[in-house]
Amino acid sequence: MGLDLMTSSFLGLRDKLHHIAMRYLQSDEEAQDALQDTWLRLSDKGAVATSQEARNKLVAVLRNICIDRLRKARTVSINSINSSDVPRYNMETEDIERFEQILQQQLTPLQRHIFNLVAHEGYDYEQIAKSMSMSVEAVRMNMSRTRKKIRETLKMLDQ
């Protein structure tokens, strides 16, 4: 009886379901495919007790299928991206050395040390706090100040 109820609900709601799919997908062919996928997905699932339950399942599954199709349409294969379209910023070796010198002058020794541990050594804040007998908040604050000085320095170099 559950399959009959699902079938009758699907046939009764087919036009409404098609309209819902069209609003999501904007294509009649895609909407028809989404309806077929909805039916195939629900025909295997088992019985439903009421027509309201069947309606709710049909609408929910159709909505999820439409969203999945929209997501797939937005994704782009990494192989299809033209590497010449990707913006690149190449810093010259001299620029990098100049940037590091400016940073060395602006950062305190503690900030330099914490920055090196985080950026180059891969330590997390808890590990640094333990090894330096500091609170985690103090480590976070020093990293925040370091990042701010890095941003200011980069902004200054761009001008």
Side-chain angles (χ1 to χ4, degrees):
M1 177 170 169
L3 187 62
D4 293 331
L5 186 57
M6 182 62 80
T7 304
S8 64
S9 295
F10 180 77
L11 293 174
L13 293 170
R14 186 171 175 86
D15 290 337
K16 185 173 186 170
L17 293 171
H18 183 265
H19 180 71
I20 292 170
M22 282 292 292
R23 291 199 55 178
Y24 277 104
L25 302 172
Q26 306 290 317
S27 164
D28 186 53
E29 187 175 304
E30 286 284 324
Q32 291 293 339
D33 289 344
L35 280 176
Q36 287 178 355
D37 289 347
T38 300
W39 174 248
L40 289 174
R41 219 178 261 183
L42 285 176
S43 64
D44 298 338
K45 293 295 181 192
V48 292
T50 64
S51 61
Q52 184 65 31
E53 181 185 359
R55 179 185 181 279
N56 291 343
K57 283 186 177 182
L58 285 165
V59 171
V61 169
L62 176 66
R63 180 183 59 97
N64 291 339
I65 287 172
C66 289
I67 290 171
D68 288 345
R69 286 176 175 267
L70 289 171
R71 283 183 184 149
K72 284 180 186 174
R74 278 193 304 171
T75 58
V76 176
S77 169
I78 199 128
N79 295 331
S80 67
I81 296 175
N82 186 355
S83 64
S84 64
D85 295 341
V86 179
R88 293 185 181 165
Y89 179 73
N90 294 325
M91 287 183 79
E92 297 293 327
T93 308
E94 300 154 357
D95 292 338
I96 294 172
E97 289 172 2
R98 186 171 141 227
F99 179 70
E100 287 179 357
Q101 288 174 352
I102 292 170
L103 271 180
Q104 293 295 328
Q105 295 168 357
Q106 291 183 352
L107 296 177
T108 66
L110 179 64
Q111 289 172 339
R112 277 193 301 262
H113 184 65
I114 291 173
F115 178 75
N116 286 332
L117 288 175
V118 170
H120 301 294
E121 303 295 327
Y123 285 81
D124 62 8
Y125 294 159
E126 289 80 17
Q127 292 171 325
I128 295 170
K130 271 186 188 176
S131 70
M132 297 182 74
S133 301
M134 299 173 67
S135 70
V136 176
E137 279 304 311
V139 174
R140 278 195 182 105
M141 183 56 67
N142 277 295
M143 273 305 294
S144 174
R145 290 177 182 154
T146 301
R147 285 190 205 101
K148 182 178 179 184
K149 287 192 180 176
I150 290 171
R151 280 191 298 271
E152 290 171 356
T153 304
L154 283 172
K155 201 179 280 188
M156 182 183 71
L157 289 176
D158 283 341
Q159 293 177 359

